[in-house]
Amino acid sequence: MLAPSSSEDEDDREYSTSSRADTLSLTSDRINQASPASAFHLKPVVSAASVRSLLTPASDPAASNVPSQSGLHASTNRTERSISPSPSMSSEPIQKSMHHQNSQDQLLDQVNGERAELEEEKRKKRLQLYVFVSRCIAYPFNAKQPTDMSRRAFKIQKAQLQLIKERFTAFLNGDSQIAADEAFINSVKYYVEIFLKSERCTRLVQSNACSNNDLREIFKKIIEKRIRILPDVDGLSKETVTNSWLIKFDTIVKGDDDQRKGLRQAQNTATAFELVQNKDQLYEIFQNILGIKKFEHQLLFNALQLENSDEQAAAIRRELDGQMQKVAAMEKNRKLLPKFIVKEMESLFLEELRSSINLLMANLESLPVSKGTTDSKYGLRKFKRYNNSFRRSRRGTASSIKSDSGESSEAALTKLDVVLSFNVEVIVQEVQGVKSVQPTKLLYCTMEVEGGGEKLQTDRVEVSKAHWDTQGDFTITHPLTIVKVRLFVENSRMISMSDKELGKLLVKLTPNTNRTAEWCKMETPKNSPDHDVKIRLTMRMDRPQNLKCSGYLYVIGKHVWKKWKKRFMALVQVSQYTFAMCSYKEKKSDPTEMSTLDGYTVDYTEPVTDYDGGRFFFSITKEGETFMFASDDDNERHLWVQAMYRATGQAHKPQPPASIAATNNAKAPVNSPLSRIQGDADKARKHGMDEFIQADPCQFDHADLFKILQTLTLDYRLNDMFASLGWFNPGQIFVLDEYCARYGVRGCHRHLTYLDELLGRAEKGLAIDATLMHYSFAFCASHVHGNRPDGIGTVILAEKDKFDEIKDRLRNFLEYQITNFRFCFPMGRPEGALKASLSLVERVLMKDIVTPVPAEEVKSLIRKCLESAALVNYTKISAQNKSEDDAKHSTSHMANHHNDSHHHHQGSMDGQPLRKIEDILHIAELCIDLLQENQDFYAEEFKSAFDWFSDLLVEHSEIFWSLFAVDLEAVLSSQPPDTWNAFPVFQVLNDYLSNEPSMSGGKFHQQLKDMFAPLVVRYVDLMESSIAQSIHKGFEKETWKPHGHGCSSSEDMLWKLNALQTFISDLHWPDEVFAKHLEQRLKLMAADMIESCVKRTLEAYEGWMARSRKSTDFVIPSEVCVMINVVLHFKSESLKLCAVSGVDKHQYHTKIDEFIEKISGEMNRHFVDKFVEILNGILVKLSRYDEGSLLAPIFSLAKASTTSNISGDLGRQYVNCLRSSMEQIRQRVTDELFILAMFERLYTSQMTIICTWLTERMDRALNAHQVNCLSTIIKKSFAEFELQGIPEEVLNSKNYQTIQNRMRLEEATAAVSETTSLSGLRVSMPKFSMLEKAKKMALS
């Protein structure tokens, strides 16, 4: 509605920026013509005044020098005088400026007027379109609503997505009450980071294709992979875990009940429109689609009589008659025909039009005539479609368009074809006026209708209670009937044969009779004393649906009804195209005379004075025949004319004479149908709707109108609450189908426009189902290539051109979709969309409808798209990495802004190569994630579309990695020499490629090996040199302090060897030959390094042992123990370092083990030799006391008094020396077996030396000093070695037993000698025999 305005305040009127901007866009060309372009500088528009200021050219400096010619004007513009160089202002430039401003205002007003005209024209077109649509809804006869369409899910809007993100954030922050384990929380966190916060999720929502089901399916796909690698739990299947996690996910997404309440109500309302819809719902939908207001709909609804099926059927007949005439005009004037791809198609086109009209006639004729005048408001008719073989029925319905116009249908119509059936209801309620009968007598009534079958009777009641409310139902076949009601009183006499009749009533009924409860006076017998008997009746005669109008008329004709007289006439519909005017007599079911209305035209007629009877005349006319009718009531005449107008199907609508119409309208009853119809028409005419109501549908280009309707419907559908993907709901499809069938919109045009609109919206980023486009494209392709999908064989040139244009656009769009498949189908959603697009590609590439496209051509196109997709995906990953890197480093720069600028610059330069490595590593991880997503979410759909797609997907991955290889080579080349920061990149990439069967050993994998093989070799070389140098320098400066399991040099060397082997092993080098080479080299290196270290350790050991004392003061140094540990640790580590998984493939471990065993034996030997030397020293000292030696008597006399003490001290010194060294070894040396072996060897050597020493003195007795010393050494040593865990068999060796026996003998001898000396007696002892015995025992 336009707001009121006046010219006075026009300059101050405010305009919105958007509307004025549109105005400026419309007027730009005219403004440029009016003034030079340099004179305008457009700014944001706020008001009309600002528009004028913008559109006013800049003032000319020269104009300001013109002297003023108007003092008055100068005085009225004093405020502007300061900007002028002259004392006064010139009036001429101001007048020009004002004139220019006025012209600009006029131009803007003109543009606004044009814009308003366009809006008004648009509104009128929509109103006219709504008239046609409402007729399709009111009386459909070609289409029905589909019931097999899949339900569409509710789509997620931008605000809902933000709310879902907030719910997930609250869950991760622990603000929700949902119990979850760590695995589920990590999965949700990954889902949020990877998808929910990504650009692809936003794109999916913006495309109107995202639903809760999509979010759920993506989460399910993610967790299935994670749950698969979880360890099995007894009694808990992984399917149960998956379902539990999905339930928790749904709980997070849905939120609280309070939050879902408002949304649920809106969704419930919207769901009702997704099902099969009734007429009221369809009216409401298309009001919203076409922008029709409620009052406009109501005006049109009443004026078009949409609730009247007779009127709508008549309108269809008129439309079909107009289409017949249009076809005839085209046949006469071929210039009206469209251009075809072949000239010969013109005749075929006319034949197709005739066939389509015949089909419409057949569909209309197939509708049952017995339908009511008002349809149920709760559903639509479900009509059956008929095929094209429509033929004229025997009853002479509607003639085919090919039939001769002169052929009459009256000969085929007989009186037997006109069948009427009436339902008569008679309700007897009560009787009054029966006074001559006792009150206790019983009364009853009988009801009878002529031609209605049996007689009916009411219950018997007392006279005082004569109330019944009994209904009698009758079915008759003649329109003029008589109802007979009789009143009886029961006769109580035994002799009487019948009851007594108290009264009767005869009532004539017509189809127009509809009497309410009223009192009727009954006719009583002559001898009855009751003359005022009344009965209360309700009678109704239902008019059948095929009886369109009835009543008494005066009629005269030429061949029928030849005499002017009043007859009961009935307009009967025999079929949808056959109506008969019949006259009836009372008690007759067949018409007395009849005439069909085929070819007649009805109109009002001026009064005729020649006929006696009738006041208001009308007539029906056909060539050679005219019937004149007259009625006594003008309203009745109007009803007859309207009914005949619907029956004849004529184009001309009868209009009553103006004078009579004005008079009669004033007299028409307020509630009569005629007054209501006239009132609705007047209201529509008052609001300007009359032109839309009276418009002839045949005069419109319905192809253009349907395009508008379909476009608006599609916009409405895409903006509703459902993720429709372009699919209409059942009601919308039904109306569009009915419109196309009724108004002759070609199927190819419909699908071309639909495909054009779908493609346009898909190009703007909205999600459109490729299957839907496939259907439309296949239909158009079949039509263009002559396959006649809808029976239409003609191809219009415009259709062919439009199809070629759309085919090119569709191919380009599909190439774009496949190239950007990750962004057009985020995470593989919508479900099946990618597969449908691939199938559509194959269909678009077909040259015709029959010949299949070669597989190689499809493969070539998709290969090209995937090559581009690799570049697109890698470019986006690089941009993502750059943005993340810039954000990270900008944060770092802000944190370190206080550092010295030079120092910061130097640090940045030093960290640049490392930063490049970090970037390329991050890009590699992003690339791996991307390809894994491709495998998880897209590979199956690709493979299901084409069997050979796996190869193309591998090629796509190789191309993708080749782009990455360029950046990787650049980063590696920028690294300083002999730096190894790039190896993590190789590890990440190689692990992924090795575990991916399709990529393992591929081009990029080989390229990766070639790039890093020299680095690995160089790294191993440098590490070998570094380890060798560290061994040389380390062992030279080694202090042999305990460190780990050995010394610092040995630990460092072993750590380096282990780290080097672990690093090379973790590389999982894919080339088996090179991997074996590296392995062999590292094992050999380890063996050589260990051998070198062991040799150096042995040298140091020997030096330490050589420098140590040989007396009983000797205690083995801790450094020597460290050396032993070093060798022993080398031995334990040699298996891991020199063997492969415990298997000595190259025999390096065997060799080094033998070498270390030899070295450990040498060390053991040196240790034992040291104590052997000490023991030999002690034995040498004891040898000085041997009998027979020159010094023995002197030493014996000199130390006779202290022999026992001295000899005990010497033995204890040796034992203490031995104990200290053994304790040192026990504490320092870590190998228990080595210690036992060393002690066993030491004990055995010690016993052997002592036994040998004693054996050498078998022929002589030992000195007491010798006995005491040896006894101390032997006993204490035995005890010490026993404590150290030496086995008993070793301790009780033969040498020990020999020594023990000898020592017992010597001790016994010493005891006897001491006793003899004390008693002063000398006893000679048999020494020789005793020594001989001992010797024999030793030898045994």
Side-chain angles (χ1 to χ4, degrees):
M1 183 181 293
L2 298 177
S5 61
S6 61
S7 59
E8 289 81 8
D9 60 352
E10 184 178 356
D11 294 343
D12 297 328
R13 190 186 304 126
E14 293 294 322
Y15 291 83
S16 65
T17 305
S18 59
S19 61
R20 183 59 69 182
D22 294 339
T23 303
L24 290 177
S25 65
L26 294 173
T27 59
S28 58
D29 294 337
R30 301 182 183 181
I31 293 174
N32 291 335
Q33 295 175 2
S35 301
S38 59
F40 296 93
H41 181 66
L42 297 181
K43 298 180 181 179
V45 182
V46 177
S47 64
S50 62
V51 172
R52 280 198 300 271
S53 65
L54 292 174
L55 298 180
T56 303
S59 59
D60 187 3
S64 61
N65 297 326
V66 179
S68 175
Q69 298 179 4
S70 174
L72 178 62
H73 184 75
S75 63
T76 59
N77 292 277
R78 293 174 182 174
T79 57
E80 300 180 2
R81 187 173 298 172
S82 58
I83 63 173
S84 176
S86 61
S88 62
M89 295 287 294
S90 175
S91 62
E92 183 178 356
I94 297 176
Q95 291 176 356
K96 290 182 178 180
S97 177
M98 294 179 61
H99 176 72
H100 185 72
Q101 291 176 3
N102 293 333
S103 63
Q104 295 300 329
D105 289 342
Q106 292 176 0
L107 182 59
L108 289 177
D109 293 340
Q110 181 180 356
V111 172
N112 288 334
E114 292 177 358
R115 183 178 179 182
E117 290 177 1
L118 291 175
E119 292 294 331
E120 181 64 18
E121 183 180 354
K122 189 176 180 180
R123 187 187 73 88
K124 289 182 177 181
K125 183 172 287 189
R126 290 192 177 189
L127 280 170
Q128 186 63 68
L129 188 55
Y130 184 72
V131 169
F132 298 144
V133 169
S134 60
R135 285 174 175 169
C136 293
I137 297 173
Y139 199 81
F141 65 102
N142 298 285
K144 65 178 181 179
Q145 296 192 51
T147 58
D148 56 348
M149 297 187 65
S150 58
R151 295 282 298 274
R152 295 291 164 182
F154 292 101
K155 65 186 177 185
I156 295 177
Q157 305 287 354
K158 185 177 180 181
Q160 293 173 280
L161 177 64
Q162 183 62 33
L163 185 60
I164 291 174
K165 289 180 180 179
E166 293 175 359
R167 291 170 183 167
F168 275 98
T169 303
F171 169 76
L172 294 176
N173 293 336
D175 297 336
S176 65
Q177 303 298 324
I178 302 174
D181 54 5
E182 184 179 359
F184 177 76
I185 294 174
N186 291 335
S187 299
V188 170
K189 189 179 299 183
Y190 178 81
Y191 171 78
V192 171
E193 293 297 330
I194 293 299
F195 173 69
L196 208 56
K197 292 184 178 180
S198 66
E199 178 188 355
R200 288 183 293 166
C201 180
T202 305
R203 182 185 180 93
L204 185 63
V205 172
Q206 291 175 349
S207 66
N208 292 340
C210 184
S211 65
N212 285 335
N213 182 62
D214 292 317
L215 300 183
R216 191 176 193 269
E217 288 299 319
I218 293 173
F219 179 76
K220 182 179 180 181
K221 204 114 181 182
I222 291 174
I223 65 173
E224 282 178 347
K225 187 175 181 180
R226 287 175 165 256
I227 293 176
R228 201 179 303 125
I229 61 177
L230 290 177
D232 294 331
V233 179
D234 294 338
L236 184 63
S237 65
K238 294 185 176 181
E239 183 179 358
T240 303
V241 176
T242 302
N243 294 333
S244 174
W245 285 17
L246 289 176
I247 292 173
K248 294 177 183 178
F249 176 84
D250 294 338
T251 305
I252 297 173
V253 171
K254 292 178 182 178
D256 300 333
D257 292 337
D258 294 338
Q259 297 174 343
R260 301 198 305 263
K261 185 176 180 181
L263 180 61
R264 192 187 301 115
Q265 292 177 351
Q267 290 178 348
N268 292 338
T269 303
T271 303
F273 289 89
E274 284 296 294
L275 306 175
V276 176
Q277 300 162 19
N278 57 47
K279 289 184 179 181
D280 293 337
Q281 291 174 325
L282 291 175
Y283 285 133
E284 182 179 355
I285 287 177
F286 282 91
Q287 286 175 49
N288 297 329
I289 290 174
L290 296 173
I292 306 300
K293 299 177 182 179
K294 289 290 185 182
F295 82 93
E296 292 174 334
H297 160 73
Q298 197 60 44
L299 289 174
L300 293 174
F301 184 87
N302 295 333
L304 292 170
Q305 303 181 48
L306 297 180
E307 81 287 354
N308 190 335
S309 61
D310 292 336
E311 175 62 30
Q312 299 309 309
I316 293 173
R317 290 190 291 270
R318 289 192 291 270
E319 291 173 6
L320 295 180
D321 183 65
Q323 292 182 24
M324 294 180 195
Q325 297 176 10
K326 189 174 182 180
V327 172
M330 287 182 180
E331 192 171 12
K332 293 179 181 179
N333 185 6
R334 293 298 179 96
K335 293 182 180 179
L336 299 176
L337 295 175
K339 293 183 179 180
F340 300 94
I341 58 175
V342 179
K343 182 70 174 177
E344 289 74 13
M345 286 186 176
E346 291 181 352
S347 300
L348 181 60
F349 177 74
L350 294 173
E351 186 68 23
E352 289 172 351
L353 290 180
R354 294 188 184 99
S355 298
S356 64
I357 297 174
N358 283 339
L359 178 61
L360 292 176
M361 290 180 177
N363 291 343
L364 182 61
E365 185 70 17
S366 66
L367 299 185
V369 177
S370 60
K371 298 296 284 186
T373 57
T374 56
D375 299 323
S376 173
K377 64 183 295 186
Y378 300 104
L380 292 172
R381 295 193 191 95
K382 296 183 179 178
F383 300 129
K384 179 180 178 183
R385 288 184 179 274
Y386 279 67
N387 53 22
N388 292 334
S389 58
F390 169 69
R391 294 292 182 266
R392 182 176 172 179
S393 67
R394 70 178 184 86
R395 296 179 181 179
T397 55
S399 60
S400 172
I401 196 170
K402 297 181 184 179
S403 303
D404 297 334
S405 58
E407 182 182 353
S408 175
S409 62
E410 293 184 15
L413 186 66
T414 66
K415 295 181 179 181
L416 297 177
D417 297 324
V418 181
V419 178
L420 296 176
S421 179
F422 301 89
N423 294 326
V424 178
E425 295 180 1
V426 179
I427 303 175
V428 178
Q429 294 176 319
E430 59 178 314
V431 172
Q432 292 180 355
V434 180
K435 300 178 181 178
S436 61
V437 182
Q438 298 179 6
T440 58
K441 290 287 186 179
L442 297 180
L443 293 178
Y444 66 92
C445 291
T446 61
M447 295 173 283
E448 182 182 3
V449 178
E450 291 187 358
E454 62 181 359
K455 184 186 298 184
L456 302 180
Q457 177 181 316
T458 65
D459 296 332
R460 299 173 184 268
V461 297
E462 294 180 357
V463 175
S464 60
K465 302 177 181 178
H467 299 278
W468 288 280
D469 283 338
T470 301
Q471 177 176 327
D473 296 325
F474 305 90
T475 301
I476 60 176
T477 58
H478 44 271
L480 298 177
T481 186
I482 298 176
V483 177
K484 299 178 182 179
V485 180
R486 289 183 170 87
L487 178 63
F488 293 91
V489 61
E490 187 178 24
N491 196 341
S492 58
R493 295 180 181 181
M494 298 295 294
I495 303 176
S496 177
M497 299 298 295
S498 62
D499 296 330
K500 181 181 179 180
E501 180 179 348
L502 298 180
K504 64 179 181 179
L505 177 67
L506 302 178
V507 181
K508 294 182 179 181
L509 291 182
T510 66
N512 299 328
T513 302
N514 188 10
R515 296 186 180 182
T516 58
E518 61 181 12
W519 290 98
C520 300
K521 187 175 181 180
M522 302 187 73
E523 181 181 352
T524 59
K526 295 181 180 180
N527 57 354
S528 175
D530 299 325
H531 298 288
D532 193 15
V533 179
K534 296 180 180 179
I535 187 170
R536 191 180 182 187
L537 298 174
T538 298
M539 290 179 289
R540 182 171 66 249
M541 186 174 182
D542 290 339
R543 189 176 68 180
Q545 306 306 325
N546 58 339
L547 179 61
K548 300 306 176 182
C549 194
S550 62
Y552 285 96
L553 291 175
Y554 291 92
V555 59
I556 190 172
K558 184 176 180 182
H559 301 291
V560 186
W561 305 304
K562 299 178 181 179
K563 185 178 179 181
W564 179 263
K565 63 181 291 188
K566 192 173 185 179
R567 298 176 175 87
F568 183 83
M569 306 296 294
L571 177 60
V572 182
Q573 183 177 6
V574 180
S575 67
Q576 287 291 343
Y577 270 91
T578 303
F579 292 82
M581 199 67 176
C582 307
S583 61
Y584 286 90
K585 292 184 178 180
E586 292 184 1
K587 304 179 183 180
K588 299 292 183 181
S589 60
D590 294 332
T592 56
E593 294 179 288
M594 59 178 291
S595 174
T596 62
L597 298 184
D598 187 18
Y600 284 91
T601 302
V602 64
D603 203 351
Y604 293 94
T605 306
E606 295 292 338
V608 180
T609 59
D610 297 341
Y611 300 122
D612 184 15
R615 296 178 53 196
F616 304 98
F617 291 79
F618 63 95
S619 64
I620 55 174
T621 306
K622 187 174 72 170
E623 294 181 1
E625 185 69 42
T626 299
F627 292 101
M628 182 67 67
F629 298 92
S631 66
D632 295 328
D633 183 75
D634 191 28
N635 291 329
E636 187 177 356
R637 177 179 69 164
H638 283 306
L639 293 177
W640 274 103
V641 171
Q642 292 297 324
M644 289 186 177
Y645 169 64
R646 298 189 192 104
T648 58
Q650 65 191 51
H652 168 68
K653 185 176 182 179
Q655 296 293 336
S659 59
I660 300 177
T663 304
N664 293 334
N665 287 343
K667 298 179 180 179
V670 177
N671 295 325
S672 65
L674 179 62
S675 64
R676 288 198 301 270
I677 293 174
Q678 291 176 347
D680 294 336
D682 292 341
K683 289 180 181 178
R685 190 180 301 107
K686 179 180 178 181
H687 289 85
M689 301 292 178
D690 192 56
E691 59 174 313
F692 310 119
I693 298 169
Q694 302 297 334
D696 184 6
C698 299
Q699 304 301 321
F700 289 86
D701 183 3
H702 286 283
D704 181 57
L705 290 178
F706 178 80
K707 180 180 180 181
I708 298 173
L709 176 63
Q710 187 169 243
T711 300
L712 295 175
T713 306
L714 182 59
D715 288 336
Y716 181 82
R717 179 59 170 168
L718 292 175
N719 290 323
D720 63 13
M721 298 184 66
F722 295 92
S724 62
L725 304 180
W727 291 90
F728 292 126
N729 64 29
Q732 293 166 346
I733 291 178
F734 160 72
V735 173
L736 295 177
D737 287 345
E738 181 67 23
Y739 190 98
C740 289
R742 179 167 177 170
Y743 296 111
V745 179
R746 290 168 63 90
C748 184
H749 173 78
R750 173 184 180 177
H751 285 279
L752 280 175
T753 55
Y754 191 32
L755 193 58
D756 185 31
E757 295 297 333
L758 292 175
L759 191 55
R761 283 152 182 78
E763 290 169 344
K764 294 178 181 178
L766 296 180
I768 301 297
D769 193 352
T771 304
L772 184 58
M773 290 194 287
H774 197 157
Y775 289 157
S776 295
F777 181 82
F779 184 95
C780 297
S782 300
H783 174 81
V784 170
H785 296 134
N787 199 38
R788 299 172 63 93
D790 55 349
I792 303 299
T794 56
V795 181
I796 299 175
L797 186 61
E799 293 174 347
K800 179 68 168 59
D801 295 340
K802 188 66 175 178
F803 175 76
D804 293 338
E805 175 196 344
I806 290 178
K807 184 175 182 179
D808 293 338
R809 285 177 58 198
L810 186 57
R811 174 170 178 167
N812 295 333
F813 172 71
L814 291 173
E815 290 179 4
Y816 170 81
Q817 274 197 324
I818 299 174
T819 302
N820 298 271
F821 66 90
R822 283 179 50 82
F823 306 94
C824 294
F825 311 101
M827 296 294 186
R829 312 307 296 179
E831 183 179 4
L834 178 56
K835 180 180 178 181
S837 296
L838 295 173
S839 301
L840 182 56
V841 167
E842 188 176 18
R843 187 67 181 79
V844 170
L845 292 178
M846 292 177 65
K847 300 297 186 295
D848 53 46
I849 196 65
V850 179
T851 307
V853 62
E856 192 58 36
E857 184 177 350
V858 181
K859 194 173 182 179
S860 175
L861 174 64
I862 297 180
R863 179 185 287 111
K864 175 185 174 183
C865 293
L866 291 182
E867 289 175 1
S868 303
L871 178 60
V872 170
N873 294 339
Y874 187 74
T875 303
K876 288 184 178 293
I877 282 183
S878 300
Q880 177 185 351
N881 176 74
K882 186 176 184 303
S883 62
E884 293 177 359
D885 186 64
D886 292 344
K888 181 176 69 175
H889 285 279
S890 63
T891 305
S892 176
H893 177 74
M894 292 294 293
N896 299 324
H897 68 279
H898 59 276
N899 292 341
D900 181 70
S901 59
H902 174 72
H903 177 73
H904 178 73
H905 175 71
Q906 188 66 30
S908 298
M909 293 299 292
D910 294 341
Q912 191 68 20
L914 181 60
R915 178 179 173 184
K916 290 182 179 180
I917 289 294
E918 293 174 353
D919 289 345
I920 201 69
L921 178 60
H922 184 54
I923 291 176
E925 293 171 346
L926 292 176
C927 291
I928 291 173
D929 292 339
L930 181 142
L931 292 179
Q932 286 179 342
E933 284 183 11
N934 290 352
Q935 191 66 29
D936 295 340
F937 294 99
Y938 303 100
E940 289 300 325
E941 292 206 35
F942 277 132
K943 294 175 184 177
S944 62
F946 303 105
D947 296 335
W948 40 259
F949 212 100
S950 300
D951 299 335
L952 293 187
L953 208 56
V954 173
E955 292 180 12
H956 163 74
S957 301
E958 290 289 356
I959 296 172
F960 180 78
W961 283 121
S962 67
L963 298 173
F964 173 80
V966 175
D967 290 345
L968 180 59
E969 287 182 352
V971 170
L972 293 179
S973 63
S974 66
Q975 297 298 306
D978 298 338
T979 54
W980 323 111
N981 297 322
F983 280 118
V985 179
F986 175 83
Q987 286 180 304
V988 170
L989 294 174
N990 183 61
D991 289 344
Y992 166 73
L993 295 172
S994 299
N995 295 325
E996 190 67 30
S998 60
M999 300 296 297
S1000 180
K1003 295 180 181 179
F1004 175 68
H1005 206 181
Q1006 185 62 41
Q1007 187 177 5
L1008 188 68
K1009 291 185 290 185
D1010 295 341
M1011 282 191 288
F1012 279 89
L1015 293 178
V1016 173
V1017 174
R1018 177 64 176 165
Y1019 179 73
V1020 173
D1021 292 341
L1022 292 179
M1023 284 298 296
E1024 184 177 10
S1025 175
S1026 173
I1027 294 173
Q1029 291 178 9
S1030 65
I1031 292 174
H1032 177 71
K1033 294 180 180 180
F1035 279 92
E1036 281 185 352
K1037 301 177 182 180
E1038 183 58 54
T1039 59
W1040 301 107
K1041 299 296 181 184
H1043 185 80
H1045 296 284
C1047 64
S1048 59
S1049 298
S1050 67
E1051 290 294 313
D1052 180 64
M1053 188 272 292
L1054 290 174
W1055 178 83
K1056 289 181 179 178
L1057 287 176
N1058 188 43
L1060 177 60
Q1061 291 194 10
T1062 303
F1063 171 71
I1064 297 299
S1065 176
D1066 290 343
L1067 289 179
H1068 302 112
W1069 196 264
D1071 187 1
E1072 186 176 356
V1073 176
F1074 187 71
K1076 289 183 178 180
H1077 166 71
L1078 289 177
E1079 177 187 280
Q1080 183 177 358
R1081 180 177 178 184
L1082 293 179
K1083 300 302 179 183
L1084 178 60
M1085 181 198 304
D1088 294 340
M1089 296 298 177
I1090 291 175
E1091 183 179 355
S1092 175
C1093 290
V1094 169
K1095 287 180 179 180
R1096 290 176 180 273
T1097 304
L1098 180 60
E1099 291 175 0
Y1101 181 84
E1102 291 175 346
W1104 274 85
M1105 294 301 290
R1107 292 192 299 271
S1108 60
R1109 296 180 181 182
K1110 299 179 181 179
S1111 62
T1112 55
D1113 295 337
F1114 172 77
V1115 177
I1116 188 168
S1118 61
E1119 289 81 0
V1120 173
C1121 295
V1122 171
M1123 297 175 193
I1124 295 173
N1125 286 335
V1126 168
V1127 175
L1128 295 176
H1129 188 46
F1130 279 144
K1131 182 178 181 180
S1132 63
E1133 291 293 320
S1134 62
L1135 179 63
K1136 180 173 68 174
L1137 296 174
C1138 301
V1140 180
S1141 300
V1143 180
D1144 192 12
K1145 292 183 178 180
H1146 311 293
Q1147 298 298 316
Y1148 298 143
H1149 174 255
T1150 302
K1151 296 175 182 177
I1152 196 62
D1153 192 58
E1154 292 175 355
F1155 177 75
I1156 294 176
E1157 191 68 30
K1158 180 180 176 182
I1159 295 301
S1160 61
E1162 287 291 323
M1163 299 178 80
N1164 197 340
R1165 183 181 61 81
H1166 283 296
F1167 175 77
V1168 173
D1169 288 348
K1170 174 60 68 175
F1171 280 92
V1172 168
E1173 289 179 3
I1174 297 173
L1175 183 57
N1176 284 334
I1178 294 174
L1179 292 178
V1180 169
K1181 290 180 182 181
L1182 293 178
S1183 298
R1184 294 181 295 183
Y1185 296 93
D1186 290 341
E1187 292 182 358
S1189 67
L1190 297 176
L1191 299 177
I1194 299 173
F1195 282 108
S1196 298
L1197 292 174
K1199 298 181 180 180
S1201 60
T1202 59
T1203 298
S1204 60
N1205 293 333
I1206 294 175
S1207 61
D1209 290 342
L1210 187 60
R1212 281 191 293 271
Q1213 289 176 5
Y1214 175 77
V1215 171
N1216 290 336
C1217 173
L1218 182 62
R1219 182 187 295 117
S1220 300
S1221 296
M1222 291 173 68
E1223 289 178 356
Q1224 181 81 343
I1225 289 175
R1226 177 63 70 181
Q1227 293 176 0
R1228 301 289 184 178
V1229 179
T1230 57
D1231 192 343
E1232 185 68 25
L1233 295 178
F1234 179 82
I1235 294 173
L1236 290 177
M1238 178 183 284
F1239 288 170
E1240 286 181 11
R1241 185 169 183 174
L1242 177 59
Y1243 176 77
T1244 303
S1245 300
Q1246 179 179 297
M1247 292 299 111
T1248 302
I1249 292 172
I1250 294 175
C1251 183
T1252 302
W1253 188 81
L1254 290 174
T1255 303
E1256 292 174 353
R1257 290 160 178 77
M1258 289 180 61
D1259 56 347
R1260 67 187 79 150
L1262 297 179
N1263 188 280
H1265 177 68
Q1266 291 176 328
V1267 172
N1268 291 334
C1269 183
L1270 290 176
S1271 179
T1272 302
I1273 291 174
I1274 292 170
K1275 290 179 180 180
K1276 297 294 184 180
S1277 297
F1278 183 88
E1280 289 297 331
F1281 282 106
E1282 187 178 19
L1283 289 174
Q1284 295 298 332
I1286 301 302
E1288 185 177 355
E1289 60 270 14
V1290 177
L1291 290 173
N1292 294 323
S1293 63
K1294 292 181 180 180
N1295 289 337
Y1296 174 76
Q1297 292 176 5
T1298 302
I1299 294 170
Q1300 188 70 12
N1301 292 335
R1302 176 71 180 272
M1303 292 308 298
R1304 288 174 184 171
L1305 179 61
E1306 291 296 339
E1307 288 175 358
T1309 303
V1312 172
S1313 299
E1314 184 178 356
T1315 304
T1316 303
S1317 63
L1318 290 175
S1319 62
L1321 299 175
R1322 293 186 60 84
V1323 181
S1324 60
M1325 298 184 64
K1327 296 181 180 179
F1328 179 76
S1329 61
M1330 293 296 295
L1331 291 173
E1332 188 68 24
K1333 184 179 179 180
K1335 182 179 179 180
K1336 289 181 179 180
M1337 291 176 63
L1339 292 175
S1340 64

